[in-house]
């Protein structure tokens, strides 16, 4: 057993250049666990707040004043570390200490324990032996809150190499499609600047339907059949479009509005036309009934809640009761601590809800979520295709494939 001997924090910067915190947890005076917190741009109403009063410095100050409370705790004992954080902050959304502190401290603790015990993090988090690789799911074309004016309203068009048998093939296929799409965009518009959104997907001046067309074309030009070797997914991030006053989805860039029923039809058409394997937040974050209608209509598509569930076990229980989704995004910093997120994963797995462990649009170069995706038996790992902070997570999967500990891919 390794015991926490010191904890230190610092201000760093995420992939968007915004301030964030990094936490070092040291066990037995020598084993360093180090984690930097990510942050979202399209943020769910009920997710943990990043920092108290939006000030990372405040979280660090609180840590400094309370650091000794963590000394001597077993660094692999997530429950005790979580409970100690909860003594500092019992608010549902970590408004006192900030979810970023809960995120970084709990993951850094187990990172440090994995080094002290000399076992990979995913093994420490899940003692089971039947580990599998999740399918990488990556953003190839971005819009909405992740890209500038002129890009689609839809936040993300995603690629998943559903026919791959190995993790390397899955990563390389996604890379190939991303590259091919870049070529097609240049051909279509010679003034295209190769601009990319926050998660590395191309950010062209296109409407939603045109964007989906070119994404499908990229797959087909490579000789792939949609729904077979590769499949497309979409994160509609519909809360961005939802106007509570008008009770309508406002598609500013494309120039139309959808009633709740029209939004279901809009999403359904896209799911059918592009044979999507994955549809995230196709309706807004409080539209549980509409999510249920889509889940019933498309039992073989991962109808997934992100802003809908915000990695919150209580909300997931409500969604399960209403059959509002069959897929759940797991973003540790939405929940707060890793302990919270693993509880969420347990609930999802018990109820046969497919887990998609996910990055945030503002990321660090850490790769812990690759381990968390494996440990939680995630069906997919949503971490982008290109960009240093995205590739870091994919490269970690390639390294893990060198050990004979993970046997093949999960079943979607
Ligand atoms: C998402 O919405 O799924 C996402 C990754 O974006 P963000 O981190 O901005 O919430
Ligand atoms: Mg999302």
């Amino acid at each position: 057993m390794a015991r926490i001997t010191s904890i230190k924090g610092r201000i760093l910067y995420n992939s968007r250049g915004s301030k964030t915190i990094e936490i070092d947890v040291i066990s037995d005076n020598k084993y360093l666990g180090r984690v930097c917190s990510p942050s979202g741009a399209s943020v769910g109403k009920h997710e943990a707040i990043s920092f108290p009063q939006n000030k990372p410095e405040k979280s660090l100050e609180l840590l400094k004043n309370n650091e000794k409370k963590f000394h001597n705790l077993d660094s692999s004992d997530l429950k005790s570390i979580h409970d100690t954080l909860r003594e500092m902050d019992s608010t549902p959304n970590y408004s006192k200490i900030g979810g970023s502190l809960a995120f970084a401290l709990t993951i850094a603790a187990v990172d440090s324990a994995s080094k002290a015990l000399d076992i990979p993090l995913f093994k420490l988090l899940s003692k089971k032996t039947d580990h599998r690789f999740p399918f990488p799911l990556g953003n190839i074309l971005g819009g909405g809150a992740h890209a500038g004016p002129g890009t689609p309203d839809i936040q993300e068009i995603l690629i998943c190499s559903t026919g791959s048998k190995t993790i390397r093939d899955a990563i390389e296929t996604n890379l190939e499609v991303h590259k091919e799409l870049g070529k097609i965009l240049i051909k279509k518009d010679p003034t295209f600047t190769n601009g990319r959104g926050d998660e590395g997907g191309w950010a062209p001046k296109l409407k939603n339907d045109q964007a989906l067309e070119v994404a499908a074309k990229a797959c087909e030009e490579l000789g792939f059949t949609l729904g077979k070797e590769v499949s497309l997914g979409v994160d509609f991030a519909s809360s961005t479009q939802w106007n509570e006053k008008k009770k309508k989805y406002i598609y500013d860039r494309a120039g139309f509005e959808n009633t709740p029923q029209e939004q279901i039809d809009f999403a359904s058409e896209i799911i059918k036309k592009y044979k999507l394997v994955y549809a995230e937040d196709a309706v807004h974050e409080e539209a549980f009934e509409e999510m249920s209608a889509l889940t019933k209509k498309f039992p073989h598509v991962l109808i997934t809640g992100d802003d809908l569930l915000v990695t919150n076990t209580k909300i997931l229980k409500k969604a399960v009761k209403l059959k509002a989704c069959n897929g759940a995004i797991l973003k540790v910093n939405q929940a707060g601590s890793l302990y919270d997120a693993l509880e969420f994963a347990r609930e999802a797995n018990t109820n046969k809800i497919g887990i998609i462990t996910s990055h945030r649009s503002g990321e660090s170069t850490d790769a812990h979520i690759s381990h968390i995706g494996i440990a939680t038996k995630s069906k997919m790992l949503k971490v982008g295709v290109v960009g240093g902070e995205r590739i870091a997570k994919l490269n970690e999967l390639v390294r893990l494939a060198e050990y004979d500990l993970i046997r093949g891919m999960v079943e979607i």
Side-chain angles (χ1 to χ4, degrees):
M1 185 205 297
R3 294 205 175 271
I4 296 177
T5 43
S6 73
I7 305 181
K8 202 172 102 181
R10 64 183 66 80
I11 302 283
L12 288 185
Y13 307 91
N14 69 20
S15 59
R16 258 195 294 267
S18 305
K19 269 189 188 175
T20 186
I21 56 169
E22 182 174 73
I23 303 293
D24 290 354
V25 173
I26 296 179
S27 298
D28 297 348
N29 292 308
K30 57 180 169 183
Y31 300 105
L32 171 66
R34 173 171 282 172
V35 171
C36 184
S37 291
S39 78
S42 64
V43 173
K45 215 187 250 179
H46 304 292
E47 67 177 84
I49 65 139
S50 294
F51 302 107
Q53 293 133 47
N54 248 331
K55 292 196 173 87
E57 294 82 0
K58 285 247 173 230
S59 292
L60 292 187
E61 196 186 308
L62 280 158
L63 172 65
K64 214 172 176 181
N65 297 339
N66 289 277
E67 188 231 337
K68 293 215 161 50
K69 290 183 183 155
F70 297 90
H71 285 193
N72 254 336
L73 293 180
D74 173 351
S75 45
S76 70
D77 182 358
L78 271 176
K79 171 91 170 78
S80 299
I81 297 162
H82 169 85
D83 288 347
T84 308
L85 282 166
R86 277 324 206 169
E87 280 168 27
M88 294 165 62
D89 185 349
S90 59
T91 62
N93 62 352
Y94 289 92
S95 60
K96 282 192 190 152
I97 63 170
S100 297
L101 178 60
F103 171 96
L105 197 152
T106 49
I107 303 178
V110 287
D111 186 33
S112 153
S114 91
K115 284 172 183 151
L117 303 169
D118 197 24
I119 51 174
L121 182 56
F122 74 86
K123 272 202 119 195
L124 181 76
L125 295 177
S126 167
K127 309 265 176 326
K128 300 205 174 87
T129 49
D130 58 338
H131 298 288
R132 299 268 189 286
F133 282 109
F135 279 87
L137 176 70
N139 190 333
I140 51 171
L141 198 154
H146 292 173
T151 59
D153 303 87
I154 285 178
Q155 186 176 282
E156 301 167 29
I157 300 176
L158 302 142
I159 186 73
C160 185
S161 172
T162 36
S164 288
K165 300 275 182 285
T166 67
I167 193 65
R168 190 182 286 280
D169 184 67
I171 292 168
E172 287 187 359
T173 304
N174 285 1
L175 283 165
E176 235 184 303
V177 175
H178 185 279
K179 214 168 267 167
E180 183 65 24
L181 179 54
K183 285 186 206 157
I184 291 174
L185 289 169
I186 289 274
K187 245 192 246 163
K188 197 173 160 60
D189 175 6
T191 68
F192 179 54
T193 62
N194 278 346
R196 303 201 315 228
D198 285 355
E199 294 178 348
W202 302 111
K205 253 193 173 173
L206 290 180
K207 301 252 168 79
N208 303 311
D209 45 351
Q210 298 169 315
L212 284 156
E213 285 297 334
V214 286
K217 190 166 180 219
C219 300
E220 283 152 8
E221 298 259 296
L222 289 167
F224 298 136
T225 305
L226 284 181
K228 233 176 135 189
E229 296 92 349
V230 297
S231 304
L232 292 175
V234 170
D235 181 358
F236 292 84
S238 300
S239 297
T240 314
Q241 278 82 42
W242 177 245
N243 183 311
E244 183 61 35
K245 256 197 197 144
K246 286 192 172 177
K247 302 275 180 223
K248 277 187 172 179
Y249 296 84
I250 316 289
Y251 283 79
D252 273 335
R253 299 176 188 178
F256 64 88
E257 297 182 2
N258 277 345
T259 63
Q261 183 54 49
E262 283 166 348
Q263 179 68 11
I264 293 182
D265 298 341
F266 171 70
S268 299
E269 278 310 302
I270 291 174
I271 293 171
K272 279 190 268 182
K273 184 166 178 195
Y274 298 99
K275 299 188 174 65
L276 299 192
V277 71
Y278 179 84
E280 180 182 330
D281 285 347
V283 291
H284 73 84
E285 61 196 318
E286 273 152 343
F288 283 81
E289 277 177 28
E290 286 98 316
M291 280 293 283
S292 303
L294 283 167
T295 306
K296 194 168 175 197
K297 204 164 168 185
F298 298 105
H300 303 300
V301 177
L302 276 166
I303 303 294
T304 299
D306 171 16
D307 294 344
L308 181 91
L309 303 173
V310 289
T311 319
N312 180 308
T313 307
K314 237 191 194 163
I315 302 177
L316 176 61
K317 282 182 179 166
K318 175 180 166 183
V320 166
K321 220 182 235 169
L322 297 170
K323 297 194 170 70
C325 59
N326 56 27
I329 281 278
L330 183 149
K331 291 171 171 166
V332 178
N333 77 326
Q334 278 184 332
S337 79
L338 180 58
Y339 178 80
D340 291 317
L342 295 183
E343 286 293 293
F344 177 88
R346 202 164 54 158
E347 188 68 23
N349 280 325
T350 304
N351 289 287
K352 300 207 168 12
I353 303 287
I355 299 173
I356 299 92
T357 293
S358 170
H359 62 172
R360 299 308 304 250
S361 50
E363 262 296 335
S364 75
T365 51
D366 290 346
H368 304 95
I369 67 164
S370 305
H371 290 256
I372 293 167
I374 294 165
T376 55
K377 297 180 180 287
S378 294
K379 296 211 175 288
M380 293 176 179
L381 186 70
K382 190 185 178 205
V383 289
V385 183
V386 295
E389 72 282 6
R390 317 289 154 190
I391 275 290
K393 281 86 171 152
L394 297 168
N395 283 344
E396 182 69 358
L397 296 176
V398 176
R399 283 184 206 107
L400 289 173
E402 287 173 11
Y403 304 98
D404 200 18
L405 296 167
I406 310 168
R407 297 186 188 281
M409 314 288 288
V410 290
E411 276 174 35
I412 304 183

